[in-house]
Amino acid sequence: MYCLSLCPIVAQDSIVYDIRSGLSHWIVSDVLQDRQGFMWFATWNGLNRFDGYEFVQIKVKPGDGTNIRSEVIREARMDEEGNIVCRTDAGLFRLDLGNYQMEDVQGPAVAEMFLSNKEKPFKDNESNLWKVGRYGITKIHRVHNPAQLVHGTEKVQARAFFKDKDHRWWLATKEDECIRIYDNNNTLIGFLGQDGCIHSEKTVFGYRAYNLFQHSNGDIWIGCKPGALLRLQKKADGTYDIARINVYESLNTLECDIVYHMAEDSAGRLWIASFGGGVYCLPEPEVEQPSCITFTVGNDMEKRDKVRRILLTDSGHIICATTNGLLVARIDQENICRTTFRRLVRDGKREASLCNNATMDVCRDKEGRIFIATENNGIDMITEESLFSEIPQFTHFNQNNSSLTSDACLAMTMREDGHLFVVCTDRVIDFCPDSNQTVTYSRTFWNKNSHFSEERPLQLFDGSWLFGQEQGAYIASLHSLQTRGYIPPLVFTKLSINGQPSNPAICLKDTLVIQPEERNFSLSFAALDYTDNSNICYRTRLNHSAWSGVDRNRSLTFFDLQPGEHLLAVQSTDRYGRWIDNTRELLIVVLPRWYETVWARYLGGLLTICIITIVVASIFYVRNLHRQRRELLERYMTLLGTSEKISKKGENTPQTLLTGELKINDRKFLERVTRYIEENISNSDANIDDMASQVATSRSNLNRKLRSLVGITATQLLIEARMQKAKQLLQDTDNIEQLNVTDIAFQCGYADAKYFSRCFKQKFGSTPTEFVIRK
């Protein structure tokens, strides 16, 4: 027996940074690292700050109050306060990292800093080496991949694996056509040969195994591509009797024999997923030559599907992932031949339909939810009840609406804790559907050329996980999956307001004050990892809201941010794609414009209340004034022409009734107007000029005064009086035979009876005749 050799990927790599990388000069004279973690390079064109992504040049500015005459830096040192002191041919200067301001320095104490030699090459906090060269600077770093390559599987695809009942696990590789067997301590037992023996030396099995499965009766089944379905029955001496099962000879049509997956139902039947021949079932897999049953999809008797995975549920359902949607059926337990599949595909008119027809895998959690991995649209989730309803309702998880970092899924495994290990083309995602949280194990966790195979991850006996790649099999221990190593500090790197040049001093602030005219600004940030930051992802949130989507974007842009305090939080993964506790928070205080202040809002509210109060009071005043005028006019009209009748009854005189709220002058004014109207109401030649003359005022003043008292002009008042007179005369008419419209018109000052009738109808809605009849 041989111990399993796990090969941790540790190597050295180097990167050269020069002008093309962003350095301000190709001659670099010195290297430093500050307390925040930034790398600093002293060049012949000033200082350069490096965050692992880009360089920022720090130079003197006109009018900054310094007398620095040269920025050709020969050496640089870090003083006790953490500031950078630079020596040039023209003297010394210091960059205060507390405010990013340069200042002249001198004195023997400062000069003594340059008497001792620095250790070269420079070693940073991550033990990377920085070598100053003639045309730039070279970084030498260790490449470490936590996942361990299974020795002997280099450059061959790990295509299938499983755990048997003897506490061993099997690994089938594609190109070398080998099947390796390991014990529960991950010790290599040997290689399975065509003779059924386990050989200590590398032995070719002779078939490309695509699926390994052990039946409840102990038989091991191997599905191959191409052309073989093998059954292994263990003998007493520990070797295997290998038989090729020719199930296809009993079929009437030519079927595909590429086996991708196998599963056993509660009755012990073996279900086979073939890639091009649909779904088969072996009702009695233990017999020497099992018979085979094929199935149709609806009324399609000819077409055979390319099936990748089979899921059998406890309720007797079968769900198959194919290249053309899902195949689902309820297994007919009495007569399995009557089982008919139904196809579920994407419906572009229905949002809750299957998201993609190219389905790769299907699995089920403890709660009975079904998860479907698709080739390029993420994962769908559905309950078993809904899946077998008339209109299934799928829930979608993809890069647009969840924390998944890839939609290209190849396989997945449901873990005991309810998380999914989702295998994508170049990464593995630990996805929790309930909390929508993910941990992405990117290429740097495995190797720089990661390309995963379609096999499901397998948890080994020691708790570690086995993953298949095109380049071999990899084991990730629980320690490597759960433990975080170097935690890169997360810093804000640049602040740009209204498109102006950026301010690198933002890295020092925990509070950012934004003036009212500065509400359009951008913030940049970075996790300071100089070993490998190519796969670091970021997410952000504002004011404790939900985290944003995960990506490699390192900047945020705000447009017209509302006044007040806003808490911005940024978090990153480590170099392997795992989330770490390095959340950086920045309090953004946006100052309000003058009209957005509390006092302005208070005064605005008070002004609004005052305006509303004035408007409401004015409305009530006008309404009350109109009411008073209308009442006065009604009293006036009632009294016109009735003086004698009132006097005979001993009631109040008109002059008495017009008193009350009126002033003496206004009462006398109305008495004069009343006298003129009573004396001339039957005079068709009566006019406003004569009325104004009798009242002893001008025509315009007469109209103005009447409007203020009764709300109408003199002409309107005369017409109103005549209409009221006519109405009174018509009311005194006993019957229609006594009606003489012409006489009434003359008595009311109208020479034309027809014109009088039109005016009466316009006022009261009926002709004089109709008025008398209706009375």
Side-chain angles (χ1 to χ4, degrees):
M1 295 187 181
Y2 299 86
C3 289
L4 172 62
S5 177
L6 299 177
C7 308
I9 310 301
V10 180
Q12 279 193 340
D13 199 359
S14 63
I15 300 176
V16 177
Y17 298 100
D18 53 19
I19 292 179
R20 293 169 296 182
S21 307
L23 276 170
S24 61
H25 201 280
W26 52 272
I27 297 180
V28 178
S29 56
D30 220 333
V31 185
L32 296 169
Q33 187 171 26
D34 65 19
R35 294 174 180 176
Q36 282 194 295
F38 286 108
M39 297 298 300
W40 290 87
F41 304 109
T43 74
W44 282 22
N45 186 18
L47 283 168
N48 286 242
R49 193 189 73 180
F50 185 50
D51 60 11
Y53 296 95
E54 56 185 344
F55 293 88
V56 176
Q57 186 182 21
I58 309 297
K59 290 177 63 68
V60 296
K61 298 177 182 179
D64 61 3
T66 64
N67 294 316
I68 300 172
R69 295 185 295 274
S70 173
E71 289 186 89
V72 179
I73 303 173
R74 300 294 184 178
E75 288 183 276
R77 295 287 190 273
M78 193 76 69
D79 65 13
E80 294 180 354
E81 288 76 25
N83 301 315
I84 300 176
V85 180
C86 301
R87 181 180 67 82
T88 70
D89 292 337
L92 302 172
F93 70 87
R94 177 170 57 200
L95 174 64
D96 188 344
L97 293 182
N99 54 20
Y100 274 64
Q101 298 295 319
M102 290 187 177
E103 56 187 0
D104 301 295
V105 292
Q106 56 185 351
V110 179
E112 289 179 0
M113 298 174 57
F114 297 92
L115 297 179
S116 60
N117 295 324
K118 288 176 57 178
E119 180 182 351
K120 295 184 178 180
F122 180 82
K123 181 184 289 187
D124 64 19
N125 296 338
E126 304 166 47
S127 298
N128 301 311
L129 299 179
W130 300 80
K131 289 185 176 181
V132 174
R134 175 66 176 169
Y135 299 104
I137 188 166
T138 301
K139 179 186 70 176
I140 302 173
H141 63 279
R142 294 175 63 226
V143 178
H144 172 66
N145 307 110
Q148 297 175 313
L149 175 67
V150 177
H151 179 67
T153 64
E154 300 89 343
K155 299 182 180 180
V156 292
Q157 183 184 149
R159 193 61 186 81
F161 27 79
F162 87 110
K163 294 186 293 187
D164 66 17
K165 296 182 178 181
D166 296 325
H167 297 282
R168 302 176 300 181
W169 56 275
W170 299 42
L171 168 62
T173 51
K174 180 179 176 180
E175 285 76 11
D176 59 1
E177 298 183 354
C178 289
I179 296 180
R180 298 164 174 82
I181 303 176
Y182 303 86
D183 65 14
N184 58 359
N185 293 317
N186 298 339
T187 300
L188 177 63
I189 298 173
F191 297 81
L192 180 66
Q194 283 188 351
D195 56 1
C197 298
I198 299 176
H199 302 266
S200 59
E201 299 296 329
K202 184 175 182 178
T203 304
V204 176
F205 181 66
Y207 292 96
R208 291 185 175 181
Y210 263 54
N211 184 238
L212 301 170
F213 176 76
Q214 188 167 27
H215 194 271
S216 58
N217 63 11
D219 293 345
I220 295 175
W221 292 79
I222 302 177
C224 304
K225 177 183 180 181
L229 177 61
L230 306 177
R231 182 179 62 192
L232 281 63
Q233 293 180 321
K234 192 173 183 180
K235 296 188 290 187
D237 60 357
T239 62
Y240 290 91
D241 181 21
I242 301 177
R244 181 168 179 172
I245 307 301
N246 297 316
V247 297
Y248 313 106
E249 295 179 357
S250 62
L251 301 176
N252 296 326
T253 57
L254 179 63
E255 304 294 339
C256 175
D257 59 357
I258 302 174
V259 177
Y260 258 52
H261 190 230
M262 288 175 279
E264 179 185 358
D265 65 15
S266 58
R269 294 175 293 231
L270 185 64
W271 294 81
I272 301 172
S274 70
F275 201 72
V279 182
Y280 306 140
C281 180
L282 305 184
E284 299 176 324
E286 69 279 358
V287 301
E288 182 176 353
Q289 185 57 44
S291 61
C292 179
I293 299 174
T294 61
F295 302 91
T296 60
V297 180
N299 296 321
D300 191 348
M301 303 294 293
E302 300 296 331
K303 185 176 180 180
R304 299 299 177 185
D305 286 276
K306 296 179 179 179
V307 185
R308 290 192 173 102
R309 295 287 182 190
I310 294 175
L311 174 65
L312 299 168
T313 70
D314 298 336
S315 55
H317 291 136
I318 179 171
I319 306 164
C320 304
T322 79
T323 58
N324 188 24
L326 291 177
L327 297 181
V328 299
R330 176 178 289 276
I331 301 174
D332 192 322
Q333 302 295 342
E334 296 181 359
N335 186 353
I336 194 172
C337 296
R338 292 202 301 252
T339 301
T340 301
F341 283 85
R342 169 192 176 195
R343 189 186 305 278
L344 300 178
V345 296
R346 180 181 182 273
D347 183 355
K349 297 180 181 179
R350 197 166 62 88
E351 184 179 355
S353 69
L354 188 67
C355 68
N356 194 298
N357 285 354
T359 56
M360 301 296 295
D361 205 346
V362 56
C363 65
R364 183 175 182 269
D365 67 3
K366 295 179 180 178
E367 299 178 8
R369 297 178 297 184
I370 309 297
F371 294 87
I372 301 99
T374 66
E375 193 168 22
N376 44 41
N377 279 92
I379 297 172
D380 275 1
M381 180 182 72
I382 190 172
T383 63
E384 188 172 352
E385 179 182 1
S386 178
L387 183 64
F388 285 87
S389 65
E390 184 177 351
I391 304 178
Q393 301 290 322
F394 292 88
T395 300
H396 310 303
F397 297 101
N398 52 53
Q399 282 186 274
N400 295 327
N401 67 2
S402 74
S403 58
L404 289 176
T405 57
S406 176
D407 288 340
C409 305
L410 299 177
M412 61 183 176
T413 293
M414 180 63 65
R415 294 177 4 195
E416 288 294 325
D417 58 2
H419 288 219
L420 281 169
F421 262 146
V422 183
V423 178
C424 302
T425 53
D426 63 345
R427 69 196 70 183
V428 174
I429 303 173
D430 178 355
F431 177 55
C432 178
D434 294 322
S435 64
N436 191 26
Q437 297 296 315
T438 61
V439 176
T440 301
Y441 300 95
S442 57
R443 287 186 174 184
T444 46
F445 187 85
W446 314 94
N447 61 74
K448 65 179 180 180
N449 297 315
S450 291
H451 295 91
F452 285 89
S453 66
E454 297 177 8
E455 180 61 323
R456 289 172 170 174
L458 176 69
Q459 188 169 25
L460 302 180
F461 298 100
D462 62 354
S464 59
W465 285 85
L466 179 64
F467 297 86
Q469 290 196 18
E470 301 280 346
Q471 302 84 9
Y474 285 80
I475 290 181
S477 66
L478 288 179
H479 177 79
S480 65
L481 291 170
Q482 299 173 357
T483 304
R484 306 296 181 258
Y486 172 71
I487 298 179
L490 207 157
V491 295
F492 291 100
T493 56
K494 290 189 297 184
L495 169 65
S496 178
I497 299 176
N498 295 330
Q500 299 300 314
S502 60
N503 177 15
I506 183 63
C507 62
L508 307 168
K509 299 182 179 181
D510 293 320
T511 301
L512 175 63
V513 179
I514 298 297
Q515 298 298 322
E517 66 277 3
E518 298 177 344
R519 294 188 182 179
N520 299 330
F521 62 96
S522 297
L523 278 170
S524 298
F525 44 85
L528 302 181
D529 189 328
Y530 299 103
T531 300
D532 187 356
N533 58 15
S534 59
N535 287 287
I536 292 180
C537 294
Y538 300 87
R539 61 183 181 182
T540 60
R541 66 180 178 185
L542 193 64
N543 298 331
H544 302 289
S545 61
W547 287 105
S548 66
V550 179
D551 54 36
R552 295 189 178 93
N553 183 34
R554 298 184 299 104
S555 65
L556 288 172
T557 301
F558 297 92
F559 294 101
D560 196 22
L561 192 61
Q562 293 301 308
E565 294 185 352
H566 305 275
L567 185 63
L568 173 65
V570 183
Q571 187 182 18
S572 80
T573 65
D574 61 9
R575 66 182 67 129
Y576 306 117
R578 305 170 299 190
W579 292 110
I580 51 179
D581 186 16
N582 68 341
T583 302
R584 176 76 159 86
E585 293 184 343
L586 179 67
L587 180 62
I588 303 174
V589 180
V590 181
L591 299 180
R593 299 180 177 92
W594 68 267
Y595 54 82
E596 294 173 328
T597 61
V598 174
W599 286 108
R601 292 178 179 178
Y602 174 76
L603 292 176
L606 185 61
L607 180 61
T608 302
I609 292 174
C610 292
I611 293 174
I612 293 174
T613 303
I614 292 172
V615 170
V616 171
S618 299
I619 291 173
F620 276 101
Y621 172 77
V622 172
R623 287 181 178 178
N624 186 55
L625 183 61
H626 287 169
R627 181 184 57 78
Q628 291 176 353
R629 290 173 176 175
R630 186 169 59 253
E631 290 176 353
L632 183 60
L633 178 63
E634 290 174 355
R635 271 188 286 164
Y636 181 79
M637 290 295 105
T638 303
L639 295 175
L640 276 175
T642 62
S643 300
E644 293 182 2
K645 184 185 297 184
I646 294 175
S647 299
K648 290 177 181 179
K649 295 181 179 181
E651 298 176 359
N652 294 329
T653 63
Q655 289 77 10
T656 304
L657 292 176
L658 287 176
T659 60
E661 304 130 1
L662 293 177
K663 298 178 180 179
I664 296 177
N665 293 336
D666 293 339
R667 180 172 58 79
K668 290 181 178 180
F669 172 80
L670 282 179
E671 288 176 354
R672 291 194 294 270
V673 171
T674 301
R675 189 179 304 113
Y676 176 81
I677 292 177
E678 288 180 343
E679 293 174 354
N680 295 276
I681 195 168
S682 60
N683 182 11
S684 60
D685 295 328
N687 56 71
I688 306 307
D689 291 331
D690 292 343
M691 184 187 297
S693 177
Q694 182 166 332
V695 177
T697 186
S698 65
R699 180 188 180 101
S700 59
N701 189 57
L702 173 67
N703 284 322
R704 181 187 63 78
K705 192 72 173 176
L706 284 174
R707 280 198 193 95
S708 66
L709 292 175
V710 295
I712 57 177
T713 62
T715 302
Q716 292 171 331
L717 180 62
L718 182 59
I719 294 173
E720 185 73 20
R722 286 172 171 172
M723 288 295 102
Q724 292 296 331
K725 176 71 173 179
K727 179 180 178 183
Q728 182 181 351
L729 292 174
L730 289 172
Q731 287 176 337
D732 292 339
T733 304
D734 295 332
N735 53 59
I736 192 66
E737 288 78 9
Q738 297 177 354
L739 177 64
N740 191 331
V741 176
T742 302
D743 291 344
I744 293 176
F746 287 155
Q747 293 181 51
C748 296
Y750 290 93
D752 187 349
K754 292 183 179 179
Y755 177 69
F756 164 71
S757 296
R758 287 198 302 271
C759 292
F760 189 90
K761 184 175 183 179
Q762 184 178 6
K763 171 67 177 177
F764 298 108
S766 62
T767 63
T769 302
E770 294 171 346
F771 181 83
V772 173
I773 294 173
R774 210 168 45 225
K775 181 188 71 166

